[in-house]
Amino acid sequence: MAKIVVEHLKYRYPLTDELALKDISFTIEPGEFIGIIGENNAGKSTLCQALVGIIPNFYKGAYGGKVFIDDLEVAKHSISEVCRKVGIVFQNPFNQVTGSKLTVYEEIAFGLENMGLSRTEMMERIDYSLKLLDIYQYKDRNPFDLSGGQMQRMAIASIIAMRPEVIILDEPTSQLDPQGSEEVFRAVQSLSQEGISILMVEHKMEKIAAYSDRVMLLKDGKMVAFDTPQKVFSLENLEQYGVNAPAFTRICKKLGIKNQKNGCYPVTLEEAEGAINLLKNGGIADE
Amino acid sequence: MSNIEIKDMYFSYTENEPVLNGINLTLDSRTTAIIGQNGAGKTTFVKLLKGLLKPTHGQIFWDGKDISQMTVAQLAKYIGLVFQNPNDQIFKGKVIDEVMFGPINIGMSQEDALDHARKALSIVGLAGTEDENPYDMGLSDRKMIAIASILAMDTDVVIFDEPTIAQDYKAKEKIKQIIRQLKSDGKMVLTIIHDMDFVAECFERTIVFAKGNVLLDGPTAEVFAQKEKLTQAYLEPPHVTQLCNRLGYQQTFLTVEDFVAYVKRTLKK
Ligand SMILES: Nc1ncnc2c1ncn2[C@@H]1O[C@H](COP(=O)(O)OP(=O)(O)OP(=O)(O)O)[C@@H](O)[C@H]1O
Ligand SMILES: Nc1ncnc2c1ncn2[C@@H]1O[C@H](COP(=O)(O)OP(=O)(O)OP(=O)(O)O)[C@@H](O)[C@H]1O
Ligand SMILES: [Mg+2]
Ligand SMILES: [Mg+2]
């Protein structure tokens, strides 16, 4: 059974004229890793907030359509009920910090407090997620004394510790160093392999191409594509949607190298490497 | 053109946790990127340059003058810093008031400040939003407002702390243009950034910070050729360079254009 079902979702912020989400419908299976891409102001963060019920429960405005997580319709339940199933990492990690906890450790513990876990289980989860995000050494520091990237790591750790069935990440690696962002993608991938559904908004197209099962492309509040990374990044009019394909894809487009089987351009480092080697050895390239 | 000299600078927030361990650098007219691991001390470093923090040891010279003799207000006339988190910078309820605040604060007349603010907003692509409330805007727009606020001050030195956070590729192109324009206007530009492709395309000089020290410093292409040291600093080469490495090329390239031109040349042979 599908994990997430979205039917004809429409939304307009209070005091604005234009819909931020325009009739969006899709379904997502358990364990799928979905990349969400699109230009600035396309509606990516708005969609994320609608999936956890912040829209329409916190942001009012005009709302239409339905969002289901399993059989729970998010608009009809409180945010705290929905958050038991769905965790969200906000675009600005600063907005995730409670402001009431004095240490990084307590900050992670906060989310686990009302879950009915044993003390040992709680401690295990906190230690695990702090180590996974490589911030264990800062566990006693005040959250506001962390560097930007360390704070973003804490925001991710606090959601992973809660082990929700669905995790939504809104540009979670925007302030991470290159190796840190690779580690986060790997960690999130292994969560998806355990059956957790992942929706991740990102501008790092090379990573989206390498890790997503499917890519959702938004533009002006509409879903304009939802397909494999190869298909989406091979779209002829991708630039009109305000998206730049991965560097590997741009190279192959310029060299006229397509995968002969599916008619798509290579999207990852490995695919581009293979295709260029083939070209060098006198293989096929169509201009 | 101004120059900043940093001599044997140390800094720590708390006693037994050193953050910067003896930095020696001279910053000049080359557009410069600072890259490095989370927590390496990059933001701390630029806060020291702007006089927001004081070194525990060592000195900073601005055109030969020791900045410890200058007040934060005096320095503000020369050095503009776009904060990593726009929430630390933005506090007005109207975009135009926010962007005019800095210029007025350093002594610009109301008219000049308005003129500078309007120009800065149009440079970042936000002309027409003067009367909006920054709190209703998304992170990418808020970051652009923070950039406009500093551009409007027209300082000799402009420091960007992770300007590309939340920006799509068109906005990144816009930021590249802004950096090039500042350079041609004779300003010193320093940028902290985690986007290696952006570094490759935009900066003449790259400095790698690692655990409070300068690990590498040189022309960008030379820095990205040092694979082992980059790994040690939790970095990686730009995507195009990664592909060159995979293909076993002797020469490495930094941009898609250079790579494609090279492959086309070798195929002709
Ligand atoms: N709180 C708000 N009040 C009014 N309008 C809003 C609010 N938040 C977002 N919007 C508007 O809704 C539209 C979609 O914004 P959203 O933040 O979802 O885009 P996004 O794709 O996440 O953009 P970005 O890449 O900049 O994060 C934009 O036009 C934006 O200005
Ligand atoms: N106010 C503070 N009190 C104590 N320690 C701090 C404070 N601010 C920063 N630190 C610590 O100093 C170190 C350097 O922080 P800084 O913000 O300079 O890092 P950075 O290189 O900018 O990292 P990032 O890439 O994550 O932004 C970090 O380990 C951080 O936790
Ligand atoms: Mg967003
Ligand atoms: Mg920083």
Side-chain angles (χ1 to χ4, degrees):
Chain A
M1 206 186 101
K3 191 77 196 167
I4 304 174
V5 177
V6 173
E7 292 171 351
H8 302 291
L9 178 64
K10 297 188 191 86
Y11 177 69
R12 182 163 51 71
Y13 284 98
L15 310 175
T16 61
D17 306 321
E18 222 195 317
L19 288 172
L21 298 176
K22 297 171 182 158
D23 199 4
I24 293 184
S25 302
F26 59 85
T27 60
I28 290 167
E29 301 301 319
E32 268 199 292
F33 189 133
I34 307 295
I36 304 178
I37 62 170
E39 65 185 7
N40 290 141
N41 295 319
K44 305 180 296 297
S45 297
T46 306
L47 177 62
C48 291
Q49 287 173 336
L51 292 174
V52 291
I54 296 176
I55 289 169
N57 289 317
F58 177 77
Y59 286 109
K60 301 299 173 188
Y63 183 92
K66 287 177 181 167
V67 175
F68 293 95
I69 311 291
D70 296 325
D71 49 8
L72 180 141
E73 190 182 346
V74 304
K76 298 202 168 131
H77 293 79
S78 69
I79 297 174
S80 63
E81 271 174 281
V82 179
C83 284
R84 246 169 258 151
K85 280 178 168 290
V86 190
I88 180 166
V89 177
F90 290 121
Q91 188 168 15
N92 190 344
F94 204 76
N95 300 342
Q96 192 113 12
V97 184
T98 58
S100 61
K101 301 294 168 203
L102 292 177
T103 68
V104 169
Y105 195 90
E106 290 169 36
E107 187 70 35
I108 311 281
F110 176 77
L112 305 180
E113 263 157 24
N114 297 313
M115 291 178 71
L117 302 173
S118 72
R119 212 178 128 71
T120 358
E121 165 91 27
M122 233 171 109
M123 280 161 44
E124 268 170 23
R125 286 200 192 183
I126 297 170
D127 287 355
Y128 171 80
S129 61
L130 287 173
K131 284 178 187 154
L132 186 67
L133 274 300
D134 202 17
I135 47 169
Y136 186 76
Q137 55 179 313
Y138 307 116
K139 66 182 167 39
D140 299 319
R141 187 166 289 175
N142 186 309
F144 290 108
D145 289 344
L146 294 174
S147 76
Q150 290 165 347
M151 197 185 268
Q152 194 159 38
R153 287 164 187 259
M154 182 182 77
I156 301 168
S158 67
I159 298 305
I160 287 183
M162 293 169 74
R163 306 235 181 103
E165 296 160 35
V166 175
I167 302 184
I168 295 165
L169 304 109
D170 195 352
E171 296 186 46
T173 70
S174 63
Q175 301 186 48
L176 295 200
D177 57 59
Q179 285 180 31
S181 92
E182 179 67 21
E183 283 158 17
V184 165
F185 270 89
R186 282 210 207 115
V188 168
Q189 184 179 49
S190 75
L191 293 173
S192 82
Q193 284 159 355
E194 288 168 28
I196 297 175
S197 303
I198 304 289
L199 291 96
M200 175 161 356
V201 176
E202 260 300 343
H203 290 300
K204 289 178 181 157
M205 299 304 159
E206 290 77 10
K207 294 257 187 293
I208 286 293
Y211 286 95
S212 309
D213 296 315
R214 288 191 290 160
V215 176
M216 183 185 299
L217 170 59
L218 298 181
K219 160 89 173 164
D220 293 332
K222 285 194 274 260
M223 189 175 88
V224 292
F226 192 17
D227 213 325
T228 61
Q230 284 77 8
K231 285 257 171 59
V232 171
F233 290 123
S234 295
L235 287 173
E236 285 306 326
N237 50 357
L238 195 61
E239 287 215 11
Q240 286 166 26
Y241 297 127
V243 168
N244 206 13
F248 311 121
T249 310
R250 280 180 279 140
I251 285 174
C252 291
K253 274 189 184 173
K254 288 207 161 91
L255 292 171
I257 313 176
K258 270 189 183 173
N259 178 323
Q260 293 302 304
K261 278 187 220 123
N262 59 14
C264 292
Y265 292 106
V267 298
T268 62
L269 177 61
E270 288 72 24
E271 289 177 6
E273 180 193 1
I276 291 170
N277 274 329
L278 205 63
L279 184 70
K280 267 197 310 205
N281 303 331
I284 10 74
D286 41 46
E287 277 294 322
Chain B
M1 171 42 87
S2 34
N3 109 354
I4 300 178
E5 203 181 343
I6 297 108
K7 277 198 178 150
D8 203 27
M9 183 168 74
Y10 288 76
F11 179 80
S12 58
Y13 291 96
T14 52
E15 229 165 78
N16 37 23
E17 270 178 289
V19 173
L20 297 176
N21 310 311
I23 305 279
N24 287 290
L25 276 174
T26 302
L27 303 170
D28 53 35
S29 65
R30 285 172 291 171
T31 53
T32 300
I34 298 182
I35 61 179
Q37 189 186 3
N38 291 135
K42 305 178 298 296
T43 297
T44 304
F45 176 72
V46 297
K47 284 184 175 167
L48 283 154
L49 294 187
K50 205 179 144 51
L52 301 174
L53 300 169
K54 303 280 173 230
T56 39
H57 177 86
Q59 286 149 301
I60 301 169
F61 296 95
W62 163 273
D63 283 340
K65 194 173 174 227
D66 188 340
I67 71 158
S68 65
Q69 307 303 313
M70 297 165 82
T71 63
V72 175
Q74 280 171 328
L75 273 171
K77 290 194 174 75
Y78 303 107
I79 304 187
L81 167 62
V82 179
F83 280 76
Q84 185 164 352
N85 183 356
N87 293 14
D88 291 340
Q89 200 178 321
I90 296 175
F91 69 104
K92 298 273 186 189
K94 223 166 116 180
V95 169
I96 191 73
D97 294 343
E98 182 63 46
V99 184
M100 282 172 70
F101 174 81
I104 289 172
N105 202 34
I106 57 167
M108 233 185 254
S109 74
Q110 194 80 22
E111 285 136 86
D112 284 352
L114 182 61
D115 186 46
H116 276 76
R118 285 236 168 88
K119 277 201 190 109
L121 281 172
S122 103
I123 290 171
V124 301
L126 287 176
T129 65
E130 285 80 358
D131 294 327
E132 287 182 26
N133 185 339
Y135 289 90
D136 292 336
M137 300 169 108
L139 184 60
S140 56
D141 286 346
R142 286 169 63 75
K143 193 82 199 181
M144 283 298 192
I145 290 169
I147 292 174
S149 306
I150 300 305
L151 294 179
M153 292 169 74
D154 196 22
T155 50
D156 292 348
V157 179
V158 180
I159 305 174
F160 296 101
D161 197 348
E162 302 196 25
T164 59
I165 290 176
Q167 305 300 339
D168 64 16
Y169 101 95
K170 275 190 231 151
K172 281 185 196 156
E173 290 305 312
K174 195 172 287 160
I175 294 169
K176 280 179 202 160
Q177 265 170 26
I178 291 172
I179 290 170
R180 291 190 186 114
Q181 185 62 45
L182 289 169
K183 152 102 181 167
S184 76
D185 292 345
K187 302 194 185 284
M188 185 194 285
V189 187
L190 200 61
T191 307
I192 298 171
I193 185 158
H194 289 300
D195 182 333
M196 301 298 121
D197 289 4
F198 191 103
V199 174
E201 284 162 25
C202 198
F203 297 98
E204 295 159 281
R205 175 188 187 184
T206 297
I207 301 173
V208 176
F209 272 51
K211 305 202 161 71
N213 293 297
V214 173
L215 183 69
L216 290 170
D217 176 10
T220 300
E222 286 176 22
V223 167
F224 281 133
Q226 309 260 349
K227 262 184 287 176
E228 280 90 47
K229 287 212 166 137
L230 291 174
T231 308
Q232 192 187 326
Y234 292 81
L235 301 170
E236 58 187 28
H239 291 110
V240 175
T241 314
Q242 288 177 30
L243 184 57
C244 295
N245 292 341
R246 276 295 187 99
L247 291 165
Y249 289 2
Q250 293 299 317
Q251 254 176 305
T252 58
F253 301 97
L254 295 180
T255 64
V256 168
E257 288 66 31
D258 291 348
F259 180 93
V260 169
Y262 171 79
V263 175
K264 284 191 172 158
R265 272 198 313 277
T266 56
L267 283 177
K268 281 216 184 88
K269 278 186 206 150

